[in-house]
Amino acid sequence: MEETNSHRIHSFSLLILTFSLFSTLSLSSFSPTDNHLVSCGSTVDTTVDNRRFISDSNPNSPLLSSEKTIPLTNQSPSPYSIQIYNSARIFKKPSKYAFEIKEPGTHMVRLHFHAFVSCNLDLSDAQFHVLVNGYVALSNFSVGKVRDFVVKEYFIWADSDKIVINFVPAKKGKYGFVNAIEVISAPKDLIADVGFLVNGNKDEKFVGLTKQALETVHRINVGGPKVTPFNDTVWRTWIPDYEFLKSSNDLSKRMYFGGRIHYQIGGASREVGPDFVYKTARVITNTNGSVLNANMTWEFPVDEGYKYLVRMHFCDIASISLGLIHFNVYVNGYLAYEDLDLSSITYTLASPFYVDFVVDDDSSGVLRVSVGPTNKTMAYGVDGILNGVEIMKMNNSMGSLGGKICAGMVLKSWPRGNIGVLVPFVAGLCLLLSLALVMHRRTVGMRNPVSWSKLPTEVPGVDLNHGNLHFSGKA
């Protein structure tokens, strides 16, 4: 952890939030075409952060199967609790919500969970599966004894007029629950279709990210405080990087920028990352005239057996003029971007930029990202900078984010409650569907090769292929 003194951490966070108050007032107002907010199990609508969650007891509720579902209210809520977590919908048999979709494309789906005890029912005992539009989002999920609320966020492509969310108890005698659901149209520039595949062997692009199911695993505000949904343009939560930073405390320092972030047309927008993320950073600086031969490194726990989309956010808030910052970017020890020069991409300081990398887990259960100096790094300059990191799990070949199980297997497991019995009957079908999906992706080719945030369109003579991406091997 960077700061061991809690008072220093609090003071720094307070300074950031105080100086950023006016910037929050100027955030762009994103208005999604599809905006379904549901308070589950509640009899009344609920407002959270100026957002109205509609009761699913309403006759127009998207809840399609109410048989064997139970609305439950927390009889002893904390006076500080958020209202949507004081009620829940209980599912004792497979049930579903169907949300009407006006605009095809990527949608954000958030499922809110908070276990409480009411009417002799302890929600921490719940165990269930969740399917979202045919993808397995959660398998044998249980909140357990976690006291805080849990939010699961997904990015799902919708090309039909509905997004369907199924809740299936893991077996007879078990049940599922949910406190609230969000289904929202994602900003069109939020998920690019192409990312750089980092495997250490060859230069490849991964095409088809928008059609993948993605689960947000980590969303980090590097060098800054927690950013709550109220202060984010699309109601996300960004947490500080303290627990993930593995390099020496003396190597890096946190930085706050009090000026204006220059969002450019065609570049990273406020929907991609808010001011609170781009106005803070962690940097490597040298003060004795010599370039430090060391990297800043973060390590994140991940599930094995998946590919991950790693989005790294950069904004040069540290330099006093253009062209003074050059550094390398590493993912899982592989050199992913060589000699990153933000000035040659944004043509101005304090202008945000991001890069999407696709990486396999290395069977260690840990995903590592690093930034550090290159042979072009200048003395008395900045040896590296990072503003934010997002890590998203990608669905496996069975269309699952919750293990080696497909949606058909989950649905057919009820009422037997033993998925293992069905493997010989359903696994073949899942395999055939997976092969068809892989073949379809191979035919996609290299359409719309947008691999990083687009360069400013108003700058003449910009080469969209500019960049020194490098995949020669591990550092």
Side-chain angles (χ1 to χ4, degrees):
M1 183 175 290
E2 172 67 14
E3 297 283 358
T4 56
N5 188 313
S6 60
H7 175 71
R8 289 176 62 192
I9 294 174
H10 175 74
S11 300
F12 182 79
S13 300
L14 183 62
L15 175 68
I16 292 173
L17 293 175
T18 302
F19 277 94
S20 298
L21 176 62
F22 297 103
S23 68
T24 345
L25 299 178
S26 64
L27 289 178
S28 62
S29 179
F30 172 64
S31 181
T33 302
D34 296 312
N35 189 27
H36 300 283
L37 308 176
V38 179
S39 180
C40 303
S42 175
T43 57
V44 296
D45 297 347
T46 303
T47 300
V48 179
D49 292 337
N50 298 322
R51 305 172 72 207
R52 187 180 181 87
F53 285 74
I54 306 300
S55 164
D56 69 351
S57 300
N58 188 302
N60 297 321
S61 164
L63 179 63
L64 293 184
S65 46
S66 58
E67 183 184 357
K68 295 292 184 180
T69 74
I70 303 170
L72 194 66
T73 302
N74 189 353
Q75 302 299 324
S76 304
S78 164
Y80 306 105
S81 62
I82 300 173
Q83 191 63 33
I84 57 173
Y85 297 110
N86 292 333
S87 65
R89 175 72 60 179
I90 312 301
F91 311 103
K92 292 197 170 183
K93 62 178 291 187
S95 303
K96 63 183 177 182
Y97 290 83
F99 298 90
E100 292 188 4
I101 300 302
K102 299 176 183 176
E103 183 178 58
T106 301
H107 284 66
M108 294 178 286
V109 175
R110 296 190 184 110
L111 307 176
H112 297 257
F113 303 100
H114 175 58
F116 57 81
V117 180
S118 185
C119 299
N120 296 320
L121 195 63
D122 185 350
L123 297 186
S124 66
D125 293 331
Q127 186 179 7
F128 54 101
H129 316 290
V130 180
L131 312 179
V132 181
N133 252 26
Y135 291 99
V136 179
L138 296 169
S139 176
N140 289 310
F141 176 71
S142 176
V143 175
K145 301 297 182 181
V146 177
R147 296 181 61 185
D148 206 353
F149 55 84
V150 175
V151 180
K152 295 290 186 178
E153 180 186 82
Y154 306 92
F155 293 88
I156 302 293
W157 179 267
D159 52 12
S160 64
D161 59 354
K162 283 184 173 59
I163 285 182
V164 178
I165 303 177
N166 301 79
F167 293 85
V168 182
K171 58 184 177 181
K172 278 196 170 182
K174 288 294 184 180
Y175 55 89
F177 81 95
V178 66
N179 301 88
I181 301 174
E182 303 177 49
V183 177
I184 308 166
S185 302
K188 296 187 183 302
D189 64 342
L190 191 57
I191 303 296
D193 196 51
V194 179
F196 290 110
L197 187 60
V198 180
N199 57 20
N201 297 320
K202 51 186 176 179
D203 185 349
E204 289 185 80
K205 292 185 176 70
F206 185 99
V207 182
L209 283 173
T210 55
K211 301 299 176 63
Q212 292 276 318
L214 304 172
E215 177 188 354
T216 302
V217 181
H218 299 287
R219 180 174 285 127
I220 309 299
N221 184 21
V222 175
K226 180 178 181 179
V227 179
T228 64
F230 181 77
N231 292 315
D232 183 84
T233 44
V234 288
W235 310 286
R236 295 162 296 199
T237 298
W238 305 69
I239 67 172
D241 67 333
Y242 310 126
E243 65 181 285
F244 307 103
L245 183 68
K246 300 304 176 183
S247 48
S248 167
N249 292 340
D250 298 328
L251 176 65
S252 66
K253 72 174 184 179
R254 295 185 296 162
M255 177 165 289
Y256 170 71
F257 178 64
R260 177 174 171 267
I261 298 298
H262 301 288
Y263 294 94
Q264 302 191 58
I265 297 174
S269 65
R270 279 191 173 91
E271 284 69 46
V272 170
D275 284 20
F276 282 101
V277 171
Y278 290 126
K279 284 193 171 188
T280 59
R282 198 175 288 274
V283 299
I284 307 174
T285 57
N286 59 78
T287 55
N288 60 1
S290 61
V291 176
L292 299 175
N293 186 26
N295 298 333
M296 290 189 294
T297 299
W298 295 259
E299 294 184 352
F300 302 95
V302 295
D303 294 333
E304 297 178 27
Y306 296 90
K307 282 184 169 61
Y308 287 87
L309 171 61
V310 180
R311 174 169 291 183
M312 301 180 71
H313 297 263
F314 305 97
C315 187
D316 187 0
I317 58 173
S319 298
I320 58 175
S321 64
L322 294 173
L324 297 182
I325 180 170
H326 296 261
F327 58 96
N328 291 335
V329 178
Y330 305 88
V331 179
N332 270 358
Y334 293 109
L335 180 55
Y337 205 125
E338 185 177 30
D339 296 329
L340 177 55
D341 173 13
L342 296 176
S343 298
S344 67
I345 297 169
T346 63
Y347 295 91
T348 185
L349 297 177
S351 183
F353 164 78
Y354 72 89
V355 190
D356 284 345
F357 301 105
V358 175
V359 61
D360 286 299
D361 81 283
D362 60 3
S363 300
S364 67
V366 174
L367 195 154
R368 292 172 295 279
V369 299
S370 304
V371 297
T374 175
N375 55 11
K376 294 184 180 180
T377 300
M378 303 178 184
Y380 298 103
V382 178
D383 297 353
I385 186 170
L386 186 62
N387 303 75
V389 181
E390 295 177 87
I391 298 176
M392 303 177 195
K393 183 196 294 185
M394 299 165 60
N395 66 267
N396 61 20
S397 61
M398 302 186 80
S400 175
L401 294 160
K404 295 181 179 180
I405 177 176
C406 68
M409 195 180 296
V410 170
L411 293 173
K412 290 183 180 295
S413 70
W414 182 266
R416 295 178 178 85
N418 184 355
I419 288 177
V421 172
L422 291 166
V423 169
F425 302 99
V426 184
L429 175 60
C430 291
L431 181 60
L432 288 174
L433 292 174
S434 303
L435 289 173
L437 184 62
V438 170
M439 293 304 296
H440 171 71
R441 285 182 187 144
R442 286 182 176 177
T443 61
V444 171
M446 297 302 298
R447 294 178 300 175
N448 303 321
V450 181
S451 306
W452 55 76
S453 55
K454 297 178 182 177
L455 304 184
T457 55
E458 70 272 22
V459 178
V462 168
D463 178 8
L464 290 176
N465 294 318
H466 177 83
N468 296 317
L469 285 149
H470 188 75
F471 301 90
S472 63
K474 285 200 171 184

